[in-house]
Amino acid sequence: MSVAAPAFAFDIGSLLNNKPKESDKFAIIRVDKLASLMNDPNSHVNIYDANGWGLRSTAGVVPGAHLLSSDDKYDVGKELPASKSAKLVFYCADLH
């Protein structure tokens, strides 16, 4: 019989004796901040629509947004920029 100890994502590196990685730079932004980024040619922001096709057809899409193939099962290597320092903005609607 074996017992598994619970682990959280931030503990995995220490469990595997890996060096801790730099923390992600994650932020929730407002529409006005996104509009500002879109209007700034130096921002190099990449916008991704994570809505389903049904909602896109009724609500529309932010101009210039890349359409993810799925909201939860897309191929990161094919759909997102290769650069780990790229600015990414994801949006979706919560219809619940």
Side-chain angles (χ1 to χ4, degrees):
M1 182 168 118
S2 66
V3 177
F8 296 97
F10 58 84
D11 293 328
I12 298 298
S14 62
L15 290 173
L16 298 174
N17 295 319
N18 291 338
K19 294 179 183 176
K21 69 173 195 160
E22 184 179 322
S23 63
D24 294 333
K25 295 181 175 116
F26 175 83
I28 295 175
I29 63 171
R30 296 170 35 119
V31 172
D32 56 340
K33 174 66 175 173
L34 178 57
S36 175
L37 288 169
M38 291 173 67
N39 289 323
D40 180 358
N42 296 317
S43 75
H44 306 290
V45 66
N46 297 276
I47 304 167
Y48 293 90
D49 182 321
N51 289 313
W53 291 105
L55 185 60
R56 288 176 184 157
S57 65
T58 59
V61 176
V62 171
H66 303 277
L67 308 180
L68 293 175
S69 58
S70 170
D71 63 348
D72 65 347
K73 295 180 183 168
Y74 57 91
D75 186 334
V76 172
K78 291 181 181 176
E79 297 192 53
L80 300 182
S83 172
K84 300 295 182 194
S85 63
K87 284 184 189 174
L88 308 177
V89 173
F90 295 87
Y91 72 89
C92 64
D94 182 4
L95 300 177
H96 299 28

